[in-house]
Amino acid sequence: MTILQAIVLGLIQGLTEFLPVSSSGHLGLATHLMNVNDPGETFEVVVHVGTLFSVVVYFHRQLWQLTLSLFNKNMIEERRMIGYLIIATIPAAIAGFTLKDAFNAANENPVIISLLLLVTGTILLLPRLLAKRGTPGEPVRLPSALAMGIGQALAIFPGISRSGSTIVTGMLSGVDSSKAAEFSFLLAIPAIGGAGLVTFLNLEKGGGGIPNSYLIGGAIAFLSGLVAVYAVLALVRRGKFEYFAYYCYAIGIAGFCYFQFFRDV
C-alpha cells in the first residue's frame, strides 16, 4: 500500500466511523475501487485505533469521571454507566469471535457490501417510519444499553453502520437521541480497543511490524474522526440524522450497479 492510498483510506475511515454510513463498508468499496491489495486486518485495526483516539479526545472529561468513579463509591451514575458499557460490549465480543469468517467473506464481495449499505439506509429511517425519536432527556438504562449492544453486534458485517445501528436502537428504546449518540461513541472504545489489542498481540507473537504508511493512515483517521464526532452530534441535536439514509441508498445503489454490471466492462 502506498502512502497516498493509506491517506485516502485513513480519511475515509475517520469520516465514516462516526457518521452513520459504515466505515467498514466504505473501506471495502474503496479498496475494490482503488484496486488496493487487501491491506488485511492490521491496517483496518490501525485506522480504527486512530478513530478511537478521536473519541478519547472528545470525551476526555467524561472518561476521566468514569475513571475516578472506580475509586469513589459515591459516583453512582458513573459506576452504573461503566456497567452499562461492559454489558453492551458483550454481544459485539461474541459476534467478533463467532462471525469473523462471515465478515471476511462479505468484505471480499463489494456487491454484498453495497446491499448491506441499503440495509443501513433502512435502519436510519426507522425512527421516522415508526415515529419514535426517543424521549427528550431520557438516559440510557440497562435494557436500552443491552439493545444498543445487540445493534453494535450486527455491525460486524461491512456495510452495516455501527454508529447508525446503535444510535437508532437507542432511540427506538426511548433514549434521548443525543444521549444515544454519546453512549454509542463511548461504546466504540472497548469494541475498537479490544480488537486493536488482539491484533497487536498477534503481531508481537508473529514478530511483525506496522508499516509507516499504516501509521500515517491511522493519524489521518484520528484527525478526520474528530471532525466526524462533532458533526454527528450536531446533526443528531438538529434532528438531521436520517438524512444519512439517503446517502447510504445512493452509495449502495451505485456500488451495486457498478460492481454487478459495469466493473468488467
Side-chain angles (χ1 to χ4, degrees), residues 79-265:
R79 293 168 71 92
R80 184 179 291 123
M81 178 59 68
I82 291 176
Y84 291 162
L85 289 170
I86 293 173
I87 291 171
T89 299
I90 293 174
I94 295 174
F97 284 108
T98 59
L99 299 176
K100 185 176 181 180
D101 291 340
F103 166 82
N104 291 333
N107 203 42
E108 293 173 0
N109 190 329
V111 174
I112 292 179
I113 295 174
S114 300
L115 292 175
L116 289 175
L117 280 169
L118 300 180
V119 174
T120 289
T122 303
I123 290 173
L124 297 178
L125 285 179
L126 287 179
R128 175 181 287 274
L129 295 174
L130 300 177
K132 294 193 70 172
R133 296 178 176 275
T135 304
E138 181 67 21
V140 175
R141 305 293 187 190
L142 179 58
S144 54
L146 182 58
M148 293 176 74
I150 295 173
Q152 178 171 255
L154 296 176
I156 187 70
F157 295 103
I160 302 296
S161 168
R162 190 204 65 82
S163 62
S165 59
T166 51
I167 295 173
V168 167
T169 304
M171 292 168 65
L172 295 179
S173 300
V175 180
D176 176 85
S177 58
S178 295
K179 295 184 184 301
E182 291 176 3
F183 187 82
S184 171
F185 294 152
L186 291 174
L187 191 56
I189 295 176
I192 299 174
L197 178 61
V198 170
T199 299
F200 288 133
L201 289 176
N202 290 336
L203 283 174
E204 289 294 326
K205 291 180 181 179
I210 301 176
N212 290 334
S213 59
Y214 286 21
L215 296 176
I216 293 173
I220 296 296
F222 161 71
L223 295 173
S224 54
L226 194 57
V227 173
V229 172
Y230 280 95
V232 169
L233 289 173
L235 290 170
V236 167
R237 294 187 185 105
R238 293 167 56 192
K240 307 293 186 181
F241 189 70
E242 68 271 9
Y243 286 10
F244 291 107
Y246 307 119
Y247 169 84
C248 288
Y249 283 138
I251 295 297
I253 292 172
F256 176 81
C257 292
Y258 174 75
F259 288 107
Q260 181 70 18
F261 301 113
F262 302 111
R263 185 179 189 181
D264 298 323
V265 175

Side-chain angles (χ1 to χ4, degrees), residues 4-19:
L4 179 58
Q5 289 172 334
I7 290 174
V8 172
L9 294 178
L11 182 63
I12 292 173
Q13 163 61 29
L15 291 176
T16 59
E17 175 63 34
F18 302 114
L19 296 178

Side-chain angles (χ1 to χ4, degrees), residues 68-79:
L68 290 178
S69 72
L70 296 174
F71 309 98
N72 187 343
K73 294 182 179 180
N74 294 323
M75 301 176 71
I76 298 175
E77 288 299 322
E78 289 79 5
R79 293 168 71 92

